[in-house]
Amino acid sequence: MESKIFERLCGEGLFIFLAILFSFFISRTNNYKKIKRYMFFYVIILSILSYSFKPFCEIDLTNQQSHVLNYYNYTWNEMFELLFQSTDYTRFFYFYIINRLGDVNLLQTFVTTIVYSIIFYTIIDYGKLKKYNGLTIARTMFLFMMLGQYIDLISGIRSTTAYTLIYLCFYREFVKKKSIFSNLFIYFLAIGFHISVVPLILVRVIFLILKKEKNGYKRLFNITIFLSVVFITLRYGNVIINAVSEKANTYLSKSVYSTFNGYLISIFNLFVLLYLINIYKKKNKNNGDENNLDDKNYIRFIMIYVLIILLFSFEYSIFHRYIIFLSMITLPIVMTAFNYLNIENDGNREFVISKNNAIYAILLLLMSIFSFSMGDIKLLQFWK
């Protein structure tokens, strides 16, 4: 299918314009009801745009839409039998529902609504928890939108949706202090969307016994959970283990897809995230917050994933996908780093002209240029 430059440029311009527009509105208020309203309308617009998305070449979305059409002749009983025989049970069920609704464009529309509702929920929730102002919220949202997840979501659907569900679990456990057991159903759904999330979950389970705990009984409880998961996985998880091994062999034995531009933008995104993590760690040390055990555990947890990303940097499909996941789990850290770049005095916001802010402005400018001219956003086309 021949690429139409004008339509794609309009799509890119519209996407960046909307990101700037909603970031501006949010930056002008500290009223969280207004911020929620702005983000609600933003999610609606992003969902409408995803419905209108027109791939200019063969991508994963076109293959997934063709798969949806294959579910037409299945009865409910046949579908449920298929669910119990496959590791992609969530995806199969979702595709079947879309087939019954009769419009394949809803495939990317619904996941867009779900994913950005979760992302924006965590941004708003963490902002309220820490009492951050609208400028901090706006900066965080704009940076996230410029990292290129949107096109990955609407063109691939499965992996980004699964990673978002895993991020929601981690957010609930590390920030909201919820039990890992309360997220079992969400973990179950995520695995059924894309099997590549299993290593992410395994890292989370292993971290239960690695993280420091003040309470010895809690550490013993975490070890018990770890051993239980290992036993259940070895005893009943042969199908999932085989599926993960098969997927890993596919990624590692050959390059599924790889582009120089894709590598460049992924490396740049990783640099930006590491830069903001470094700001967070330095400011925490200066403010005397470096001994906060929860914060230290979460930073250690994030750095494990950074190490995994670096170890698999030779394989683009893993490198790229895990940087997308890293951009999600670092959102609380990124938001705190942005907050450190503001001066708050008696409720009044004042932008600081400092080295960090200058570097941040340059990074955003470069990111916008990269996204516009080289990165994944250049694939956006909403009409033909």
Side-chain angles (χ1 to χ4, degrees):
M1 187 181 297
E2 185 179 353
S3 169
K4 295 185 178 181
I5 302 299
F6 176 75
E7 287 84 349
R8 287 166 56 196
L9 287 175
C10 289
E12 297 160 16
L14 178 61
F15 179 83
I16 296 175
F17 169 75
L18 288 171
I20 294 173
L21 181 66
F22 279 96
S23 297
F24 173 77
F25 287 151
I26 291 172
S27 70
R28 306 309 298 172
T29 181
N30 291 326
N31 186 322
Y32 272 86
K33 288 185 178 180
K34 287 186 178 180
I35 293 175
K36 284 182 180 179
R37 196 176 304 126
Y38 289 140
M39 287 192 171
F40 172 77
F41 285 119
Y42 196 16
V43 169
I44 296 299
I45 293 175
L46 290 172
S47 300
I48 293 173
L49 289 178
S50 69
Y51 180 87
S52 306
F53 176 59
K54 307 296 182 185
F56 74 90
C57 61
E58 189 76 14
I59 58 175
D60 194 33
L61 175 62
T62 54
N63 296 328
Q64 299 303 321
Q65 288 179 337
S66 64
H67 289 165
V68 168
L69 299 176
N70 295 332
Y71 287 81
Y72 182 76
N73 294 324
Y74 282 102
T75 65
W76 279 103
N77 289 335
E78 291 172 334
M79 174 52 59
F80 278 112
E81 288 181 10
L82 183 62
L83 292 179
F84 286 109
Q85 296 172 2
S86 172
T87 57
D88 294 332
Y89 42 84
T90 309
R91 177 174 68 89
F92 283 154
F93 184 73
Y94 179 62
F95 282 15
Y96 184 71
I97 295 299
I98 298 299
N99 180 285
R100 290 300 173 182
L101 292 174
D103 189 343
V104 293
N105 288 321
L106 294 175
L107 190 67
Q108 67 269 21
T109 305
F110 287 160
V111 294
T112 299
T113 303
I114 293 170
V115 165
Y116 282 99
S117 293
I118 291 173
I119 295 297
F120 291 168
Y121 154 73
T122 61
I123 291 176
I124 292 173
D125 184 75
Y126 194 75
K128 287 184 67 176
L129 181 67
K130 297 295 185 177
K131 296 181 173 59
Y132 293 155
N133 58 36
L135 181 59
T136 298
I137 303 295
R139 280 179 159 186
T140 305
M141 186 188 76
F142 183 76
L143 175 69
F144 185 81
M145 298 308 297
M146 288 296 102
L147 290 175
Q149 295 89 343
Y150 183 70
I151 186 63
D152 277 283
L153 172 64
I154 63 177
S155 65
I157 295 175
R158 297 176 300 156
S159 60
T160 306
T161 304
Y163 293 159
T164 306
L165 293 174
I166 297 299
Y167 162 60
L168 177 62
C169 293
F170 290 177
Y171 181 82
R172 283 167 49 83
E173 291 161 22
F174 282 94
V175 177
K176 307 293 286 185
K177 309 303 179 187
K178 301 292 184 181
S179 167
I180 193 172
F181 292 109
S182 67
N183 293 321
L184 289 181
F185 181 67
I186 305 178
Y187 282 124
F188 178 77
L189 291 178
I191 293 173
F193 239 115
H194 205 284
I195 201 70
S196 66
V197 301
V198 171
L200 304 178
I201 298 173
L202 291 178
V203 171
R204 172 69 183 103
V205 173
I206 293 172
F207 189 75
L208 284 172
I209 63 172
L210 295 179
K211 73 174 185 176
K212 295 181 179 181
E213 294 283 4
K214 295 179 181 179
N215 190 322
Y217 290 106
K218 189 171 183 180
R219 183 170 181 79
L220 180 62
F221 179 69
N222 290 341
I223 294 174
T224 303
I225 294 176
F226 170 75
L227 294 176
S228 300
V229 170
V230 171
F231 172 77
I232 293 172
T233 302
L234 294 177
R235 180 68 177 83
Y236 302 104
N238 289 335
V239 175
I240 293 178
I241 292 174
N242 291 336
V244 172
S245 299
E246 183 179 343
K247 181 66 70 174
N249 288 332
T250 301
Y251 286 153
L252 297 176
S253 62
K254 59 181 180 178
S255 181
V256 180
Y257 63 94
S258 177
T259 65
F260 173 77
N261 288 350
Y263 255 119
L264 190 60
I265 196 69
S266 294
I267 292 171
F268 184 74
N269 290 348
L270 178 61
F271 170 75
V272 171
L273 293 173
L274 291 178
Y275 168 72
L276 291 170
I277 290 173
N278 186 55
I279 288 180
Y280 170 86
K281 293 174 69 175
K282 283 185 176 180
K283 294 294 185 178
N284 260 12
K285 185 176 181 179
N286 293 339
N287 294 341
D289 297 330
E290 61 175 333
N291 294 321
N292 187 311
L293 191 57
D294 291 335
D295 288 350
K296 290 174 70 174
N297 278 328
Y298 195 55
I299 286 292
R300 291 192 186 101
F301 184 61
I302 288 174
M303 296 312 294
I304 291 175
Y305 288 108
V306 172
L307 178 61
I308 294 173
I309 288 171
L310 295 177
L311 288 175
F312 289 96
S313 58
F314 62 91
E315 177 46 59
Y316 177 73
S317 56
I318 298 176
F319 182 67
H320 177 69
R321 284 188 171 101
Y322 279 16
I323 287 180
I324 290 176
F325 182 66
L326 183 69
S327 71
M328 296 178 186
I329 62 175
T330 53
L331 277 173
I333 304 300
V334 167
M335 195 182 307
T336 304
F338 284 161
N339 186 66
Y340 285 143
L341 300 180
N342 297 329
I343 289 180
E344 297 180 1
N345 183 21
D346 296 329
N348 295 321
R349 292 177 293 121
E350 184 179 340
F351 187 75
V352 186
I353 304 300
S354 65
K355 181 183 74 172
N356 282 334
N357 273 314
I359 293 175
Y360 167 69
I362 294 171
L363 287 178
L364 277 188
L365 177 61
L366 290 174
M367 186 171 293
S368 298
I369 294 172
F370 275 21
S371 297
F372 192 83
S373 61
M374 299 177 61
D376 288 330
I377 291 178
K378 71 185 179 70
L379 298 176
L380 288 177
Q381 180 176 311
F382 299 114
W383 57 85
K384 295 183 179 180

